[in-house]
Amino acid sequence: LNVGGGGARGDVVTFCHADTSLPVNWDVRVRETLDEEGVEAMAFMFQMSNVGDITGGSGVTTCVDIRCRLFNLPYGDQTLSMRKGTFDWIGGYPNQCLMEDYEIITFLRKRTMLGLGKLKVLTGGPNVMAVCSNRRWAKNGVRYVCTKNAEVVEEYHNFGAKQCYEKYYGRTWEGTEGREEEIDEALK
């Protein structure tokens, strides 16, 4: 995330999960939103692909909508865009193995509360929806995925990213410290 964001030459950076599709003309929507007075970051509304195929899927999208409207708390699968200057100023994403999108959004929300800029979640119809793959919910069920997500957030707050990652994925996180040259070479 930081390699792409840090190396970006434009004045806006956008981070979209690989299993998320954006609406037509999403880039125009990003530009218009970031041109609004005081807005320095934005996210699209969440939509699950083929939501009708998943028992409880519409409940998930409704809960995400409520979370965003009441608490201004989008997650990474809603695609995050921000001014490049804001990204650089906050130092990019934290160098951690899990919950990096949660952490950067938490920081942006704190800036909003201090009046240093707004984080805006778009609302409305399909032209403001980031459509996320339903594969986790289809494979494991809504109850399991939502419970697991809540557990990960709680464990992250209690134990930090590394321990949370190890419990969630069942393996040790290698980290990136001391591996910068290897990573740079892999990205070429």
Side-chain angles (χ1 to χ4, degrees), residues 114-168:
L114 293 171
L116 299 174
K118 296 176 193 167
L119 167 61
K120 182 174 182 175
V121 180
L122 299 181
T123 57
N127 63 334
V128 297
M129 299 280 185
V131 181
C132 183
S133 169
N134 72 5
R135 77 186 187 301
R136 287 186 305 141
W137 292 278
K139 178 180 178 186
N140 300 307
V142 166
R143 180 181 294 180
Y144 175 83
V145 172
C146 291
T147 301
K148 181 57 74 177
N149 287 347
E151 288 173 1
V152 168
V153 170
E154 182 177 349
E155 289 171 10
Y156 174 70
H157 284 287
N158 292 332
F159 304 110
K162 186 175 180 191
Q163 280 184 276
C164 186
Y165 177 92
E166 290 171 359
K167 181 175 182 183
Y168 188 69

Side-chain angles (χ1 to χ4, degrees), residues 3 9 12 15 20 26 31 40 50 53 70 81 98 101 120 122 129 138 140 144 159 162 164 171 181:
V3 171
R9 288 181 253 161
V12 172
F15 300 94
T20 299
W26 66 271
R31 176 62 64 195
E40 67 178 9
N50 302 314
D53 295 347
L70 292 180
S81 296
L98 192 67
D101 54 350
K120 182 174 182 175
L122 299 181
M129 299 280 185
N140 300 307
Y144 175 83
F159 304 110
K162 186 175 180 191
C164 186
R171 62 181 187 263
E181 287 181 30

Side-chain angles (χ1 to χ4, degrees), residues 18-132:
D19 67 348
T20 299
S21 300
L22 293 173
V24 173
N25 297 323
W26 66 271
D27 54 333
V28 173
R29 203 56 133 138
V30 168
R31 176 62 64 195
E32 290 172 351
T33 304
L34 292 177
D35 283 345
E36 292 177 21
E37 178 82 26
V39 176
E40 67 178 9
M42 56 84 60
F44 289 91
M45 284 303 300
F46 173 83
Q47 179 64 50
M48 183 188 303
S49 66
N50 302 314
V51 68
D53 295 347
I54 307 296
T55 302
S58 60
V60 172
T61 58
T62 299
C63 288
V64 171
D65 184 46
I66 291 168
R67 183 190 73 218
C68 290
R69 289 175 191 263
L70 292 180
F71 304 110
N72 200 34
L73 184 58
Y75 285 171
D77 50 15
Q78 291 173 247
T79 302
L80 180 63
S81 296
M82 69 184 83
R83 298 179 187 284
K84 173 74 161 80
T86 301
F87 180 78
D88 292 340
W89 188 87
I90 63 177
Y93 279 88
N95 183 22
Q96 59 192 55
C97 52
L98 192 67
M99 302 293 286
E100 66 285 343
D101 54 350
Y102 180 87
E103 195 64 36
I104 201 168
I105 288 168
T106 299
F107 188 78
L108 290 167
R109 289 178 66 227
K110 287 177 184 176
R111 285 179 53 84
T112 297
M113 288 184 250
L114 293 171
L116 299 174
K118 296 176 193 167
L119 167 61
K120 182 174 182 175
V121 180
L122 299 181
T123 57
N127 63 334
V128 297
M129 299 280 185
V131 181
C132 183

